[in-house]
Amino acid sequence: YGSMRKPNNKVIGVLAGISIDLGLIAYVIKEGYFNSQEYSDFLKVLANEIKERSTKHIDWRKFAMDNCSIHQSQYTKENFANPLHKFIFLPRYSSELNIIELFWWLCKRWFIFRLEEYGTMDYSSDQILLKVDSVLKEITLEDVKAIFA
C-alpha cells in the first residue's frame, strides 16, 4: 500500500502486488485512503491473478506486508482467510526488508521523471490518477526483478 499527496493536500492511494516471477501483478488507484474491505477485495483479485498467471504449481501463496492497519485488521483476516494463503508481517521500522517500499520508490522516481515530460499538469484527481496509472503500466518484469537483486 502506498500513497502520495497532491499539491492540494489530497491523497492518491495505490494498492499493488508484485512478484519476482510475475512482475507487477495487479494494482488499484484511487483518491483517498483504502479501507479494510477494499484491501481484502484487492487481495482476492491478487490471489486470483497469481493463480491464473503463474506457470508454476503453487499449493499456497505468501503475502508479505508491513504493519499498516488495513493489513492487520480483523476484517482482512476474516474475509481473506484461506488455508492456501499465508500472511507474513514484516517487523516494524524495517523498510529495507519490504520489497514493495523499493517498488514505491521506483514508481515515485519514474513519476517525478515523467513530470518533465508531462509539462504543466492539471492536478485534478482524474489527471493524477491517469498519470500514476501510465507510470505503473511502464513497469516491466525486468524492473521488478532488479528490485529483488
Side-chain angles (χ1 to χ4, degrees), residues 3-129:
S3 63
M4 62 183 267
R5 286 205 179 273
K6 297 185 340 186
N8 62 3
N9 276 335
K10 292 194 177 178
V11 172
I12 299 295
V14 183
L15 294 175
I18 60 172
S19 159
I20 194 167
D21 297 321
L22 302 173
L24 179 62
I25 302 165
Y27 63 90
V28 179
I29 308 166
K30 77 172 215 170
E31 185 171 345
Y33 295 103
F34 288 90
N35 62 36
S36 296
Q37 180 179 354
E38 293 166 323
Y39 182 65
S40 181
D41 292 345
F42 174 74
L43 287 177
K44 291 173 187 173
V45 169
L46 186 60
N48 287 333
E49 281 291 319
I50 293 169
K51 183 178 177 181
E52 289 178 17
R53 291 176 46 190
S54 182
T55 57
K56 298 178 182 177
H57 174 69
I58 302 172
D59 289 330
W60 50 279
R61 291 162 192 85
K62 293 182 273 187
F63 295 86
M65 54 193 82
D66 61 20
N67 291 283
C68 177
S69 61
I70 62 173
H71 299 169
Q72 299 271 355
S73 77
Q74 194 62 34
Y75 184 91
T76 299
K77 291 174 185 173
E78 289 172 0
N79 288 285
F80 192 62
N82 184 321
L84 298 178
H85 302 151
K86 179 166 178 59
F87 289 158
I88 300 170
F89 293 103
L90 300 172
R92 292 184 188 276
Y93 310 112
S94 58
S95 58
E96 69 280 358
L97 298 176
N98 194 347
I99 299 300
I100 199 78
E101 292 298 335
L102 296 173
F103 176 78
W104 292 133
W105 176 83
L106 175 67
C107 291
K108 289 175 185 177
R109 298 283 299 166
W110 279 10
F111 188 75
I112 290 167
F113 176 75
R114 291 284 183 249
L115 283 177
E116 292 178 14
E117 179 183 312
Y118 298 148
T120 306
M121 192 163 73
D122 172 14
Y123 284 101
S124 69
S125 298
D126 292 341
Q127 199 61 280
I128 292 285
L129 294 177

